[in-house]
Amino acid sequence: MQYKYFSHNGEIQAIDQAVVPLSRIEYSYGYGVYETIRVAKGRALFVDEHCHRLMRSAEIINLEHTFTIDFVQNAIGGLIKENAAEACNLKLLLIGGPDKDSASLDILCFNPLFPDRKLYKTGASCITYNYEREFPGAKTLNMLSSYLAYREAVKVGAYDALLINRQGCVTEGTRTNFFAIRDRTLISPPNEVILPGVTRAIVIKIADKHNFKVVEENIKLSSIGSYDGAFLTGTPIKILPIGSIGNKVSFASSSPITKELIFAFDQYLKMNVLDS
């Protein structure tokens, strides 16, 4: 679907008016933060959580601006209504400037890219890539290394690349969060070395209600094969099982634990978000 409108600083404009001046150094240098929000049944999912993270990201990189969470949420609602968007993704781009009054907020609708459904049965393949982000807790526009890592994954037919830090530990995917599984324990890399995802937070909340234990600890790549399984989380994928990591580690596809979590997550969406 083609969407006719976007939002610029809360004002609805025709999409062909969406331009970035070549002279705007803040954009070309990646001085900005962003969020991707899923829209289903005409509603932005977990909009409050995403907007709060947008603000936290801006604070981490000292990006000053005049926008409030209420302003952002109203702009999102106005754009969804104007585009009559029932199912799409929203991209929020908060770009800095020389001062807080020069910052800009652009919001646009685009068609989501969902994983092949068969990956939920076979498990997704991942490669590894040595890289750690400078500001792990901020969702910034400085995505060059993540882009290169993802490109390497695509070259070999993998779904994503798992980032490995200087300690040889798995931190996250280029656009996903990572969990390992041992019995009914979910292991996540520590908060301080990752971008804590909105979907990840919901998974942790659901896991606690379904008698799973969740711990945060470093996950050495060298020991990844000792776990019972692993999965990725993210806005478009929700919970996606991992079938293999590189050429050395493979997990049983569609394990009962992952199936249970996927079902619980879908039920949570239905009861607390989509039908609320």
Side-chain angles (χ1 to χ4, degrees):
M1 179 175 178
Q2 297 295 317
Y3 297 99
K4 296 181 178 180
Y5 305 103
F6 81 108
S7 173
H8 177 69
N9 295 342
E11 179 184 344
I12 301 296
Q13 298 182 9
I15 196 67
D16 58 8
Q17 296 177 3
V19 296
V20 177
L22 296 177
S23 60
R24 186 165 185 183
I25 193 171
E26 290 81 14
Y27 191 88
S28 59
Y29 278 26
Y31 184 48
V33 295
Y34 75 100
E35 282 290 324
T36 301
I37 302 178
R38 184 180 177 189
V39 174
K41 295 185 178 181
R43 298 176 59 181
L45 306 187
F46 309 118
V47 64
D48 190 58
E49 291 89 342
H50 281 287
C51 288
H52 275 88
R53 189 171 66 173
L54 183 76
M55 297 299 174
R56 288 198 301 272
S57 293
E59 183 179 357
I60 289 171
I61 66 170
N62 296 317
L63 193 164
E64 295 185 335
H65 58 89
T66 60
F67 305 108
T68 65
I69 288 177
D70 285 343
F71 181 91
V72 177
Q73 292 186 351
N74 287 334
I76 288 171
L79 182 62
I80 292 173
K81 182 178 180 180
E82 193 69 28
N83 277 322
E86 284 295 311
C88 68
N89 279 353
L90 298 175
K91 179 77 76 176
L92 282 63
L93 296 169
L94 177 55
I95 311 299
D99 53 62
K100 65 181 181 179
D101 294 322
S102 302
S104 64
L105 175 69
D106 292 303
I107 308 172
L108 61 151
C109 299
F110 63 97
N111 295 315
L113 295 174
F114 296 116
D116 190 321
R117 292 299 304 173
K118 71 179 183 181
L119 294 181
Y120 290 91
K121 293 183 178 180
T122 63
S125 61
C126 295
I127 65 167
T128 59
Y129 193 89
N130 294 325
Y131 170 62
E132 53 188 290
R133 295 184 299 110
E134 185 174 2
F135 300 101
K139 199 173 178 73
T140 74
L141 297 187
N142 184 10
M143 295 290 289
L144 175 59
S145 292
S146 292
Y147 174 83
L148 295 176
Y150 178 68
R151 187 175 67 173
E152 291 302 309
V154 171
K155 283 181 181 179
V156 297
Y159 180 77
D160 201 3
L162 300 179
L163 306 182
I164 311 301
N165 65 16
R166 283 169 286 186
Q167 287 73 44
C169 299
V170 180
T171 55
E172 56 198 343
T174 65
R175 50 193 176 141
T176 56
N177 282 125
F178 175 81
F179 284 87
I181 305 169
R182 181 170 286 146
D183 297 323
R184 291 188 67 83
T185 298
L186 307 183
I187 303 96
S188 168
N191 260 358
E192 59 267 21
V193 301
I194 64 171
L195 175 68
V198 170
T199 303
R200 172 183 178 270
I202 300 300
V203 169
I204 290 173
K205 180 178 180 179
I206 291 170
D208 183 63
K209 291 183 177 180
H210 287 77
N211 299 316
F212 286 91
K213 182 180 179 182
V214 181
V215 299
E216 291 184 11
E217 62 184 33
N218 290 318
I219 302 173
K220 285 283 190 180
L221 177 61
S222 59
S223 64
I224 201 72
S226 66
Y227 294 92
D228 298 332
F231 61 87
L232 303 170
T233 62
T235 293
I237 65 173
K238 297 186 286 189
I239 299 173
L240 181 63
I242 293 177
S244 63
I245 300 175
N247 297 320
K248 297 181 179 180
V249 178
S250 61
F251 297 113
S253 59
S254 197
S255 71
I257 293 295
T258 310
K259 284 182 178 180
E260 183 178 347
L261 286 169
I262 290 173
F263 179 79
F265 188 92
D266 288 341
Q267 289 298 109
Y268 179 90
L269 279 181
K270 182 179 180 180
M271 296 176 63
N272 296 280
V273 182
L274 297 177
D275 293 340
S276 61

